Amino acid sequence: MKPTVYFVIAFLCLGIAQAYGASVEKLNRKYQSAVVMDVSSGQILYAHNPHKQAIPASLVKMMLAVVTLERSQQGQVALIDQYTVSAAASRIGGHQVYLKQGEVFGLEELLKAVVIGSANDAAYAVAEHVAGTQKEFVTLMNQRARELGMRNTVFANVHGLPPNKRKGQKENYSTAYDLALLAKHLTRFPVILKWSSTRLDTFRDGTFQLLNTNHKFLRGFAGADGLKTGYHPRGAGFSMVGTAVRHGRRLLTVVLGSRNPRDRLTAATGLLSLGFSNGF
């Protein structure tokens, strides 16, 4: 091969590398921390402040789903169980399906509302049914976090809403790396990927619409099938765990602390695109 050809190839490779580097540098401005993981191997393909503690907001619901489904597998609860809405569950605010005290729902329907619609009241209801109280369920969440190697994570509630500090409530904390470990484990449950890839569903016998909080990601990124979004008004900003499959390979990304939903989505799709193209 002639020297000129070698020079052209080297120049093109350098240009491609610089383009990818510029893309990552540009994306870095859109979040406080991020991780991209190959789900099959667990290999971290890219990380930016992966162990920096942040407020995960609704991303805590991924652990709610893990604990509930594992308890179901162990026979301690069943998805066909019926739950009667308590007064406490009916008073949970934020994003919700407006549970009313005394209504009766199946555990599966409530968990689906959590995964698709990020319903805070449904999350509280699931926790009550599985563990008796939110406090007991949070204990299970923290225990499971330790078992999964989530060393910089502390759960304080099951829905991710900001705490009322006047009542002594505490905040949830986690990291991009820890949440990637959690998301990797959660993708093992086919029902979760079925729900998290559903853009639109219904609740309460078809009378209430469930719009997936990740619907723009599902619609706009080839191979996307989940997983969870989060928002916290007190400094944590907008966060997301996204996962997708292309050519039999599953990747996931965690993006924490974006300034707005657009930056969050741009960052997640950009990082996954680089991951699938081996662009890091």
Side-chain angles (χ1 to χ4, degrees), residues 33-35 48-52 174-181 254 256:
S33 58
V35 159
H48 177 76
N49 296 328
H51 303 296
K52 179 181 179 180
S174 191
T175 67
Y177 177 78
D178 283 5
L179 291 167
L181 293 179
V254 180
L256 302 179

Side-chain angles (χ1 to χ4, degrees), residues 55-205:
I55 299 173
S58 282
L59 301 184
V60 305
K61 295 181 178 113
M62 293 193 298
M63 183 58 89
L64 175 92
V66 164
V67 171
T68 301
L69 290 173
E70 288 182 341
R71 293 257 155 168
S72 176
Q73 289 179 338
Q74 295 161 5
Q76 297 176 10
V77 296
L79 293 181
I80 61 171
D81 287 351
Q82 297 295 295
Y83 165 83
T84 301
V85 178
S86 67
S90 70
R91 291 195 295 263
I92 303 299
H95 210 75
Q96 57 187 299
V97 286
Y98 302 97
L99 299 180
K100 297 179 178 62
Q101 184 177 359
E103 285 187 298
V104 179
F105 294 97
L107 180 59
E108 182 173 7
E109 186 175 11
L110 290 167
L111 190 57
K112 183 176 73 170
V114 172
V115 176
I116 298 177
S118 195
N120 297 316
D121 50 356
Y124 192 95
V126 168
E128 274 197 330
H129 178 75
V130 173
T133 66
Q134 176 182 233
K135 182 179 180 180
E136 290 300 319
F137 196 96
V138 168
T139 298
L140 296 176
M141 291 169 69
N142 283 312
Q143 177 183 328
R144 198 68 185 96
R146 290 191 295 272
E147 293 168 351
L148 290 173
M150 300 170 65
R151 297 177 181 176
N152 294 300
T153 294
V154 178
F155 293 113
N157 62 46
V158 301
H159 40 60
L161 285 169
N164 186 332
K165 294 185 178 180
R166 288 178 296 178
K167 294 183 178 180
Q169 296 176 359
K170 297 181 179 181
E171 186 60 89
N172 301 287
Y173 289 99
S174 191
T175 67
Y177 177 78
D178 283 5
L179 291 167
L181 293 179
L182 176 58
K184 177 180 184 294
H185 187 71
L186 188 58
T187 60
R188 298 178 181 181
F189 298 95
V191 69
I192 290 295
L193 293 172
K194 175 185 175 181
W195 289 336
S196 68
S197 62
T198 300
R199 292 185 61 242
L200 190 65
D201 209 317
T202 59
F203 184 80
R204 197 179 277 109
D205 295 324

